Amino acid sequence: MGNSALKAHLETAQKTGVFQLTDKGLVEFPEDLQRLSANLRTIDLSSNKIEALPPSIGKFGVLKSLTLNHNRLSRIPEEFCKLKKLETLHLSANQIARLPADFGQLSALKTLNLSGNQLRAMPTQLCSLRHLDVVDLSKNKIQAIPDEVSGVQAIEINLNQNQISQISVQVSRCPRLKVLRLEENCLELSMLPQSILSDSQISLLAVEGNLFEIKKLRDLEGYDKYMERFTATRKKFV
């Protein structure tokens, strides 16, 4: 892409606070964006070939939404964790294997999409995100839901298409969790904590495509209680 085209995008972004440049073959985060770090609220650089984010990403102090789906990112720099206004982060279809240690400092984060990456464990940093509503960890290589999950504040957790065979009973203690998606994993019915059904806030448990027949779920203790929550939630939306 020519300099004149980039310049035009930058001029527009200066007026609107929005910079969008998708599917342009970019191999790095545009250096010229630094000039707008004080007033950019939204950046979308999806479907490029960006392999790394510069440490200067931490200077985008008013950034609320960042979308970098379908790039080649393998890591997120520590400086990224300075983005205190960031509410929405889309990083699907990259090659990210772990999150920075201080990721939990993204205190405004509400929506996090890490679908289609290389995560092998559920990031415990999620427990520090007090305003998190939706987290998408589908299509990774996660094998277990750990005890720490009870600290996650999300309303919806999507773990579809992972390799999960172990679930901590603590998942039923998630204070706001209403939707838990576990489709196409490696779950035996015996590995599903009954407290998810009998003693949790969860009103939609999606477990199709695992190592048991869905109708067997109905035989578990607590299934009636789960169906009461499921039906009550459905009635709200009708």
Side-chain angles (χ1 to χ4, degrees), residues 150-234:
S150 61
V152 177
Q153 296 290 323
I155 297 167
E156 175 171 342
I157 300 175
N158 186 343
L159 285 157
N160 289 347
Q161 292 179 279
N162 275 280
Q163 299 165 9
I164 294 169
S165 60
Q166 304 280 330
I167 302 180
S168 168
V169 68
Q170 296 296 328
V171 75
S172 50
R173 295 195 171 179
C174 292
R176 299 201 304 152
L177 187 61
K178 298 281 195 295
V179 178
L180 179 59
R181 301 188 186 278
L182 288 164
E183 294 179 10
E184 296 181 48
N185 276 281
C186 306
L187 282 171
E188 299 276 4
L189 190 59
S190 59
M191 288 291 117
L192 201 65
Q194 289 191 358
S195 57
I196 290 179
L197 299 174
S198 61
D199 191 25
S200 78
Q201 302 282 327
I202 295 166
S203 58
L204 177 58
L205 175 66
V207 287
E208 288 82 1
N210 280 282
L211 306 179
F212 58 88
E213 291 178 61
I214 280 295
K215 62 183 180 186
K216 295 276 177 70
L217 204 59
R218 297 175 203 150
D219 300 333
L220 292 184
E221 196 176 325
Y223 184 77
D224 291 346
K225 275 191 172 180
Y226 163 69
M227 281 311 294
E228 283 172 21
R229 296 193 303 273
F230 178 87
T231 306
T233 303
R234 286 296 155 276

Side-chain angles (χ1 to χ4, degrees), residues 101-117:
D102 292 334
F103 193 82
Q105 291 182 11
L106 297 171
S107 50
L109 201 61
K110 293 178 181 175
T111 302
L112 174 62
N113 185 349
L114 284 162
S115 175
N117 277 282

Side-chain angles (χ1 to χ4, degrees), residues 40-42 62-66 85-89 109:
L40 277 184
R41 293 185 308 279
T42 300
V62 295
L63 193 64
K64 281 193 167 185
S65 174
L66 178 61
K85 298 275 177 72
L86 193 67
E87 295 179 6
T88 304
L89 178 58
L109 201 61

Side-chain angles (χ1 to χ4, degrees), residues 41-59:
R41 293 185 308 279
T42 300
I43 296 174
D44 184 354
L45 293 166
S46 294
S47 301
N48 282 292
K49 299 173 182 176
I50 299 168
E51 294 185 7
L53 294 175
S56 54
I57 189 73
K59 293 178 180 167

